[in-house]
Amino acid sequence: MLSRLGELIWADWIWFPEGHGWADLKDHDGIVFPKTQDLWATIPIALCFLVIRKIFERTVATPLASLLGVSDKQRVRARPNPVLESYFCSTSKHPTQSSIESLSKQTGCSVRQVQRWFRRRRNQDRPSKLKKFQEASWRFTFYLLAFFAGLAVLIDVSTVSESGWHSVFVTPLLPSQYWYYVIELGFYVSLLFSIASDVKRKDFKEQIIHHVATISLISFSWLVNYIRAGTLIMLVHDASDYLMESAKMFNYAGWRKTCNFIFTMFAAVFIVTRLVILPFWIIYTTWVYPLTLYPPFLGFYFFNGLMLVLQALHIFWAVLIVRMVIKFLPGNDIVEDERSDKEETESEDDDNGREQRGKFMNGYVQNGHSLLNNNHNKKD
């Protein structure tokens, strides 16, 4: 039964147009084609990337951070409090005002002290600036090398063109394409492995979808020999990613003008490559033109469906990028990553405290003492 199911899943009519099939991708006369078992090589490569990354962060990224002046502000740790810790871990990191008042009564602390405890406790869990720099520098190094590797691969193969679709199922695999594919795929698999420990941003779910879609797209293009399209898709992505990571690095180092300049370059390259070249050139050649040669088939819809998922994510990120660029164009000092969870400061806590005190009823008592006059900015 399993063999029958396997035959049905891998039937030629599902993954190939009429007149083509898996038999076209069998090696012959010294010509080599992609094979399913080649993809297993990406697992050990992904594990190697995880090891190399740890070594890189300690031996390269950390000294580079020190050289660029990356430093973390000393964080005040929240005092041990079993009641507040239990609520923080099991209920919510951002308690409502009513919960804060209830916790204040349970612990004997003032409302403001409870607010401050939660702020400090949240800051403890936020990644340090050094960790963010290490992560950005690792990705910058890979994306930069991958971009130039992709350009080198294009020397060996022609770009996606209309004539290419006539021979897409009989195009042989070159050694440069093999290594480019397995290394890129291994890197994205390593990102999926490390996503739980990496810095979590507000687009965490979108990042997971992106990684899964990218891995599926690269794997599928390998299986059915869409090598030409796959090579250009990976190159288009790498073209802007290394600029984004370098902008982050200078941001963490406090090099504001350099960060803004590089981020502007990144925004321009991102929009051109992912909102112009990808949809109007690459997706066009994988979606529109093939229909003039073959009737649609399931593999065609699967491949282009993944492409549209990536394109939707690109539009989502483009909106965030444009919003960030607009913020600093009038002359702001820094580009703030809207996906990041910003560290809360003492001044924010004081502002929140004054705002909340203004809402309390007259005569409210904290720890047996009446509230001070709101005009007094006295700290705990």
Side-chain angles (χ1 to χ4, degrees), residues 218-231:
I218 296 174
S219 301
F220 179 74
S221 65
W222 176 268
L223 292 176
V224 295
N225 204 26
Y226 290 176
I227 301 297
R228 294 179 177 181
T231 299

Side-chain angles (χ1 to χ4, degrees), residues 29 40 49 56 124 134 139 171 213 239 246 268-269:
D29 301 326
W40 289 110
F49 269 127
F56 175 88
Q124 285 179 210
Q134 290 173 334
R139 295 190 181 187
T171 302
S246 61
V269 174

Side-chain angles (χ1 to χ4, degrees), residues 100-363:
I100 290 177
E101 294 177 22
S102 175
L103 291 170
S104 173
K105 295 176 182 178
Q106 294 179 45
T107 58
C109 300
S110 69
V111 169
R112 220 170 136 205
Q113 287 173 331
V114 173
Q115 290 174 331
R116 179 165 294 175
W117 187 96
F118 274 93
R119 174 185 53 77
R120 291 176 176 175
R121 185 64 180 84
R122 286 192 296 266
N123 283 340
Q124 285 179 210
D125 287 349
R126 290 187 173 94
S128 65
K129 190 179 293 185
L130 177 60
K131 176 177 173 59
K132 293 179 180 179
F133 181 90
Q134 290 173 334
E135 182 179 310
S137 59
W138 163 247
R139 295 190 181 187
F140 163 77
T141 303
F142 176 83
Y143 289 138
L144 181 63
L145 295 176
F147 174 66
F148 286 106
L151 292 177
V153 170
L154 288 183
I155 298 176
D156 290 343
V157 295
S158 60
T159 58
V160 174
S161 62
E162 294 185 358
S163 61
W165 279 98
H166 290 284
S167 58
V168 66
F169 301 108
V170 294
T171 302
L173 174 68
L174 300 178
S176 58
Q177 291 174 310
Y178 171 83
W179 288 110
Y180 183 54
Y181 254 79
V182 296
I183 290 176
E184 280 269 1
L185 184 56
F187 179 76
Y188 279 105
V189 172
S190 72
L191 290 183
L192 203 58
F193 287 164
S194 63
I195 199 168
S197 59
D198 286 345
V199 176
K200 290 182 176 60
R201 304 183 187 276
K202 295 177 182 178
D203 63 345
F204 177 74
K205 294 180 181 178
E206 289 81 3
Q207 285 286 357
I208 294 179
I209 295 173
H210 178 271
H211 293 340
V212 172
T214 301
I215 291 171
S216 302
L217 188 61
I218 296 174
S219 301
F220 179 74
S221 65
W222 176 268
L223 292 176
V224 295
N225 204 26
Y226 290 176
I227 301 297
R228 294 179 177 181
T231 299
L232 273 184
I233 292 168
M234 291 187 291
L235 180 62
V236 162
H237 281 72
D238 294 334
S240 60
D241 284 342
Y242 72 91
L243 290 172
M244 176 184 66
E245 299 301 335
S246 61
K248 289 181 183 178
M249 293 167 61
F250 286 110
N251 180 17
Y252 302 142
W255 295 33
R256 312 307 191 195
K257 292 182 179 179
T258 304
C259 169
N260 289 355
F261 175 74
I262 295 178
F263 190 85
T264 303
M265 292 177 56
F266 158 72
V269 174
F270 184 97
I271 291 173
V272 170
T273 55
R274 303 201 192 186
L275 299 187
V276 179
I277 294 178
L278 184 63
F280 295 107
W281 179 27
I282 300 178
I283 294 182
Y284 176 84
T285 56
T286 61
W287 181 278
V288 179
Y289 183 74
L291 295 179
T292 65
L293 302 175
Y294 312 106
F297 53 99
L298 290 180
F300 166 83
Y301 289 120
F302 180 76
F303 181 81
N304 285 287
L306 291 174
M307 295 282 284
L308 294 178
V309 169
L310 288 181
Q311 190 57 45
L313 291 172
H314 295 159
I315 295 173
F316 168 78
W317 283 315
V319 173
L320 297 181
I321 291 169
V322 171
R323 285 171 58 183
M324 285 187 277
V325 171
I326 291 175
K327 282 185 177 180
F328 76 82
L329 280 179
N332 293 339
D333 291 332
I334 185 171
V335 179
E336 293 289 354
D337 189 347
E338 295 195 4
R339 303 173 304 151
S340 297
D341 187 14
K342 300 177 185 177
E343 185 168 341
E344 297 165 272
T345 62
E346 293 286 345
S347 60
E348 289 174 355
D349 181 67
D350 290 341
D351 290 341
N352 290 335
R354 286 193 293 270
E355 181 181 348
Q356 294 300 335
R357 285 202 305 271
K359 295 180 182 179
F360 294 156
M361 296 175 60
N362 292 333

